[in-house]
Amino acid sequence: MRKSRTLTGIGIAAAALLALTGCQSGTPGDGGTGGDGGDAGAGSENPWTVATDVKLEGSPTFDKMTADGKVIVGVKEDQPGLGYLDVTTNERTGFDVDIARWVAASLGFDEDAIEFKAIPSANREQAIVNGDIDYYVGTYSINDKRKEQIDFAGPYFITGQGLLVAKDSEITGEADLNKDTTVCSATGSTPIQNIKENFPEVPTKEYDLYSLCVEDLISGKVQAVTTDQAILIGYAAKDPDLIKVVGEPFSVEKYGIGLPKGDDALREHINTMLTDGGDVWQGIFDKNLGDSGIEVEQPAVDNY
């Protein structure tokens, strides 16, 4: 694994300052379209290559992909810099999206064989359990409760929970949250559960999409939005005169790749890909978030 620099909670928040750049996400080979993924950009921009003659014995998920001739990947599409769909160009961009493309490439699938599906946070486990998607990559925090239903490869990224508030808000951090400060986040997400458990007196509001929470914040219907700092900075960068990120991260969130429960062969394959692919990981980071200048280190995988 290639190590570069050191990732801190505040540092990773700064990463999403690149959110508005909309770095083009390409894919190996012809750079064509895949499923509903749209134009992926020039293949020459990608640090990965598509594997050939892949064999993965003991993986029912890989067998399904092979039989279908495609990979179905669950993603987010409302998180600038991480997982974003430009509805005008139909282009998908972001660090998470490129990690998903890298996984597909390691299994022998090019962009034209990837079908992306936007799955709300609350529906991620069920989508994997039902077989609606083959794997999920989208700011998906690893925790023991989720491991009861699915497995995770990774982590491939680490960040921390933060707060987004109105520009003129007096909230400076989680200590200022109270019964008069409604906090919004995605239904079923780790951040909203953290608020409910650690700040039981604080009213909460939930939507399928973080973007709806941000709309409510700007209109004054809620007083704060909470999720990972990397996501929040992206929204703040879009409307810097209206909203801002405050305080320091108050959790540690390890992003993993959600997989069907018991598919150890696929999990081990992806973990090996991450461990041996430090240069590719760094290339994906640099391509999507590198211009922020933050210091990072690829996290070691958890081979549980």
Side-chain angles (χ1 to χ4, degrees):
M1 178 177 66
R2 173 186 169 186
K3 294 183 178 180
S4 54
R5 297 153 290 181
T6 302
L7 179 64
T8 64
I10 293 296
I12 191 58
L17 283 171
L18 281 205
L20 293 184
T21 61
C23 301
Q24 281 206 342
S25 294
T27 191
D30 63 5
T33 60
D36 64 350
D39 185 358
S44 61
E45 294 182 1
N46 298 314
W48 63 82
T49 57
V50 178
T52 58
D53 300 322
V54 179
K55 295 181 180 179
L56 191 59
E57 295 183 2
S59 171
T61 310
F62 179 72
D63 291 344
K64 174 180 175 292
M65 295 176 193
T66 302
D68 293 343
K70 65 178 180 180
V71 181
I72 306 175
V73 185
V75 292
K76 293 288 182 68
E77 56 184 27
D78 67 330
Q79 297 176 348
L82 296 170
Y84 188 74
L85 175 65
D86 186 320
V87 296
T88 302
T89 64
N90 205 34
E91 179 186 13
R92 290 187 187 272
T93 57
F95 182 81
D96 286 350
V97 172
D98 275 355
I99 291 290
R101 289 175 170 135
W102 180 23
V103 172
S106 77
L107 295 168
F109 295 91
D110 205 335
E111 180 79 13
D112 59 0
I114 302 174
E115 177 183 342
F116 292 103
K117 282 190 176 182
I119 306 293
S121 294
N123 300 340
R124 290 179 292 197
E125 286 92 282
Q126 201 59 51
I128 295 171
V129 171
N130 290 348
D132 298 332
I133 56 177
D134 297 315
Y135 57 89
Y136 188 97
V137 190
T139 61
Y140 201 7
S141 296
I142 300 171
N143 63 42
D144 290 339
K145 183 177 180 181
R146 289 171 177 163
K147 283 183 181 180
E148 293 175 2
Q149 299 185 66
I150 66 167
D151 278 327
F152 285 99
Y156 65 90
F157 202 60
I158 298 177
T159 184
Q161 184 172 351
L163 292 174
L164 183 72
V165 300
K167 189 72 171 182
D168 59 356
S169 174
E170 296 182 358
I171 297 173
T172 60
E174 75 274 15
D176 293 328
L177 300 178
N178 55 56
K179 62 181 179 63
D180 298 318
T181 55
T182 300
V183 177
C184 189
S185 192
T187 304
S189 66
T190 300
I192 199 66
Q193 296 305 318
N194 288 343
I195 294 296
K196 290 179 177 180
E197 293 174 7
N198 299 312
F199 304 88
E201 75 283 3
V202 174
T204 58
K205 190 171 186 179
E206 302 176 45
Y207 288 112
D208 284 344
L209 301 175
Y210 290 114
S211 54
L212 297 178
C213 286
V214 175
E215 290 177 10
D216 273 9
L217 176 63
I218 291 174
S219 65
K221 295 178 182 177
V222 302
Q223 285 66 56
V225 176
T226 189
T227 186
D228 302 335
Q229 283 268 26
I231 299 170
L232 297 179
I233 290 292
Y235 288 118
K238 293 178 69 175
D239 292 292
D241 294 332
L242 300 175
I243 52 180
K244 63 183 178 181
V245 175
V246 296
E248 297 185 3
F250 49 97
S251 74
V252 175
E253 308 298 339
K254 297 181 178 181
Y255 291 166
I257 297 166
L259 305 171
K261 186 75 172 176
D263 197 332
D264 295 341
L266 181 58
R267 179 168 55 84
E268 291 171 6
H269 170 88
I270 296 174
N271 279 341
T272 299
M273 179 202 79
L274 291 168
T275 300
D276 295 345
D279 289 341
V280 178
W281 183 95
Q282 192 66 54
I284 291 173
F285 180 88
D286 291 345
K287 172 185 170 185
N288 290 282
L289 299 170
D291 287 350
S292 63
I294 70 166
E295 298 184 350
V296 301
E297 179 179 330
Q298 179 187 359
V301 303
D302 178 14
N303 286 310
Y304 64 88

